Amino acid sequence: MDKFIGLVGTNSSHSTNRQLLQFMQKHFADQATIELVEIKGLPMFNKPDPDHKQIPAAAQVIVDKINAADGVIISTPEYDHSVPAALMNALQWLSYGVHPFVDKPVMITGASYGALGSSRAQAHLRQILDSPELKARIMPSSEFLLGHSLAGFSPDGELLDREQCNQLEGLFKDFLTFVKITKQLNHAHESNAKEAANFSWEDK
């Protein structure tokens, strides 16, 4: 059975994106193990001395979890047409001298209080994950957009809209297939990891 990391893409203590990942953790328990990982304990990124690339212990814990996982599911809210600053902050730490996302299968989901369900934030997150420092393998054509998310869950955490639940079930099955395919696309992994490790905007 595959093991996934469910990265909560916010530092909010009360987030429907956490609820969405908790639902997935429970709903797909017979298909994969999903461990929820929080980013709210990370300090603000302030580029350390490039000769001594030391990331915070909390960031290293996340790095180790991603390295050991078969894939990552990120659920992001949308603030000002973008991902939250806390999520960008986390991804900066997770690509500073460490590269757990290189060729790692990633599924993006999102929940928001409005009607659009974090569509712009998901597009922005795809750009970030595709950057030279991260080089993630993002599942294509796979937006899951939970709009009006405050009314989206029952008191016991179930997703109320049957049609959306069906869509999520289909996308999750696709992600399982995507993970299997990605594991076979490993011939350039060593080169990709080296390229990410050696990349510097200052050399451009």
Side-chain angles (χ1 to χ4, degrees), residues 1-194:
M1 184 180 292
D2 286 323
K3 179 180 178 180
F4 300 142
I5 294 302
L7 199 65
V8 182
T10 175
N11 59 358
S12 172
S13 297
H14 304 283
S15 172
T16 51
N17 284 278
R18 185 179 294 103
Q19 282 185 279
L20 177 57
L21 288 173
Q22 289 170 335
F23 168 75
M24 294 178 70
Q25 182 183 50
K26 178 181 176 182
H27 193 72
F28 300 121
D30 61 335
Q31 301 178 54
T33 299
I34 302 175
E35 178 185 358
L36 266 62
V37 172
E38 301 282 351
I39 62 172
K40 57 185 178 180
L42 295 174
M44 287 298 296
F45 182 81
N46 185 8
K47 188 176 179 180
D49 181 350
D51 294 327
H52 302 88
K53 290 189 175 182
Q54 186 70 37
I55 65 172
Q60 187 61 55
V61 169
I62 300 175
V63 168
D64 294 342
K65 288 180 180 294
I66 293 174
N67 280 332
D70 296 294
V72 179
I73 304 167
I74 303 177
S75 192
T76 180
E78 180 174 313
Y79 301 149
D80 300 327
H81 291 184
S82 183
V83 299
L87 180 53
M88 286 191 282
N89 180 66
L91 293 174
Q92 286 167 342
W93 279 125
L94 298 178
S95 59
Y96 187 72
V98 290
H99 305 283
F101 278 101
V102 173
D103 295 332
K104 185 71 63 173
V106 176
M107 176 181 181
I108 299 174
T109 65
S112 73
Y113 298 168
L116 297 179
S118 79
S119 60
R120 294 182 180 91
Q122 290 193 36
H124 183 208
L125 182 55
R126 285 179 180 275
Q127 288 184 305
I128 295 172
L129 290 169
D130 197 39
S131 68
E133 302 95 324
L134 285 158
K135 287 183 173 293
R137 298 282 181 115
I138 312 141
M139 187 167 76
S141 304
S142 60
E143 282 188 327
F144 180 74
L145 309 171
L146 181 62
H148 303 297
S149 58
L150 282 175
F153 299 94
S154 68
D156 59 351
E158 294 296 315
L159 192 59
L160 291 172
D161 190 308
R162 187 64 246 177
E163 186 174 333
Q164 285 192 314
C165 189
N166 289 340
Q167 181 191 20
L168 185 58
E169 288 171 351
L171 288 172
F172 191 77
K173 287 181 180 178
D174 285 347
F175 186 56
L176 293 175
T177 302
F178 181 69
V179 169
K180 290 179 182 177
I181 293 171
T182 301
K183 287 179 179 179
Q184 300 175 47
L185 302 176
N186 61 0
H187 301 90
H189 177 72
E190 185 175 341
S191 296
N192 290 339
K194 183 177 180 181

